[in-house]
């Protein structure tokens, strides 16, 4: 009885919190927000094979932000290597692609508060037996990473696993994150670094193809990026905070990182 009562009280508190935040959030009065992503970072953003539409954690989160702020989200696509510059120049209002908050990027664009904290892990083929962690990977000169230039995955591979040389030939550069995973699957590279959420997504979507080896290689915070000085920063931050407080972000984690791949 006590356990049931506690659960009912928790549900009531979340419901009241949600209504309270909704009442206090800014009203953007139907404003259209131009959002951009890549559709290549499962399960944050990717193409639904059944419909051809973009889906994922970030889609759901930004659409929910739009609802809470009384704004319309208009979706666009961009490659990773042009996204930050496009948002900086104001071609889009907000961008997302599992973008790590760091000082170098913050000099170019504005970041929201973090919507997710993640750690990097080594994704490998399911039958891999030549190494079992970052140290044994680094010790074998025949092993190669697949990565996109300028991403967290690339920099962790360079500085946390290898020798700090960004031109190290043991890193094969590919155009998209999905291409890196495909290169791993086909045997062209031996590991791809990614956050735990995406690793679970790829493992779930490709049964028997991949596994994770070793432990976490650092921690990172993800944020949405906005044009410098954007008047959307405060409203979006307020919406993110409300979603943290009322359990919405945790519900999205459960949907995309666990339930989706069951």
């Amino acid at each position: 009885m006590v356990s049931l009562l506690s659960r009912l009280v928790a549900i009531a508190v979340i419901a009241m919190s949600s209504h309270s935040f909704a009442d206090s959030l800014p009203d953007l009065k139907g404003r259209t927000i131009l959002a951009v992503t890549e559709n290549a970072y499962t399960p944050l953003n990717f193409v639904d094979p059944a419909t051809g539409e973009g889906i994922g954690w970030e889609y759901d989160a930004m659409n929910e932000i739009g609802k809470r702020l009384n704004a319309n989200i208009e979706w666009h696509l961009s490659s990773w290597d042009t996204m930050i510059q496009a948002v900086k120049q104001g071609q889009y209002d907000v961008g997302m692609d599992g973008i790590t908050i760091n000082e170098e990027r913050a000099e170019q664009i504005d970041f929201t508060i973090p919507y997710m904290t993640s750690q990097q892990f080594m994704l490998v083929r399911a039958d891999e037996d030549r190494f079992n962690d970052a140290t044994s990977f680094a010790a074998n000169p025949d092993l190669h990473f697949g990565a996109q230039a300028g991403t967290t995955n690339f920099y962790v591979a360079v500085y946390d696993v290898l020798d700090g040389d960004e031109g190290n030939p043991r890193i094969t550069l590919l155009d998209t994150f999905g291409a890196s995973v495909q290169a791993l699957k086909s045997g062209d590279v031996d590991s791809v670094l990614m956050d735990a959420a995406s690793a679970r997504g790829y493992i779930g979507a490709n049964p028997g193809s991949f596994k994770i080896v070793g432990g976490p290689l650092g921690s990172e915070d993800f944020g949405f990026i906005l044009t410098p000085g954007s008047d959307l920063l405060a409203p979006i931050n307020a919406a993110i905070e409300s979603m943290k407080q009322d359990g919405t972000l945790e519900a999205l984690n459960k949907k995309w990182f666990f339930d989706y791949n069951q």
Side-chain angles (χ1 to χ4, degrees), residues 202-257:
Y202 278 107
I203 291 171
N206 300 270
S209 296
F210 302 118
K211 66 182 179 181
I212 292 173
V213 298
L217 299 170
S219 180
E220 58 185 359
D221 288 328
F222 292 163
F224 300 119
I225 62 172
L226 294 95
T227 305
S230 172
D231 63 347
L232 290 170
L233 181 60
I236 291 177
N237 277 344
I240 293 171
E241 186 60 39
S242 75
M243 293 162 69
K244 288 181 179 180
Q245 294 296 326
D246 68 21
T248 299
L249 295 189
E250 185 56 36
L252 289 180
N253 291 342
K254 185 174 185 298
K255 173 183 177 181
W256 289 107
F257 303 151

Side-chain angles (χ1 to χ4, degrees), residues 73-129:
I73 308 300
E74 182 179 302
W75 288 98
H76 296 266
L77 296 178
S78 168
S79 63
W80 160 254
D81 58 352
T82 63
M83 186 181 300
I84 292 178
Q85 187 64 22
V87 172
K88 177 182 178 180
Q89 294 174 346
Q91 297 177 39
Y92 309 105
D93 298 310
V94 57
M96 64 212 71
D97 200 19
I99 302 176
T100 300
I101 299 172
N102 63 34
E103 292 183 6
E104 180 181 356
R105 291 170 182 159
E107 293 176 355
Q108 303 179 63
I109 40 79
D110 285 347
F111 275 106
T112 63
I113 59 174
Y115 61 79
M116 183 183 298
T117 299
S118 188
Q119 294 175 308
Q120 294 290 300
F121 288 85
M122 298 180 71
L123 187 73
V124 303
R125 289 181 294 279
D127 61 356
E128 181 59 71
D129 60 5

Side-chain angles (χ1 to χ4, degrees), residues 155-166:
Y155 290 120
V156 171
V158 170
Y159 294 103
D160 289 43
V161 181
L162 299 177
D163 58 2
D165 177 9
E166 294 186 12

Side-chain angles (χ1 to χ4, degrees), residues 165-186:
D165 177 9
E166 294 186 12
N168 193 312
R170 293 181 60 184
I171 302 178
T172 299
L173 298 179
L174 296 119
D175 292 335
T176 69
F177 189 75
S180 298
V181 177
Q182 187 56 44
L184 172 63
K185 189 174 184 178
S186 64

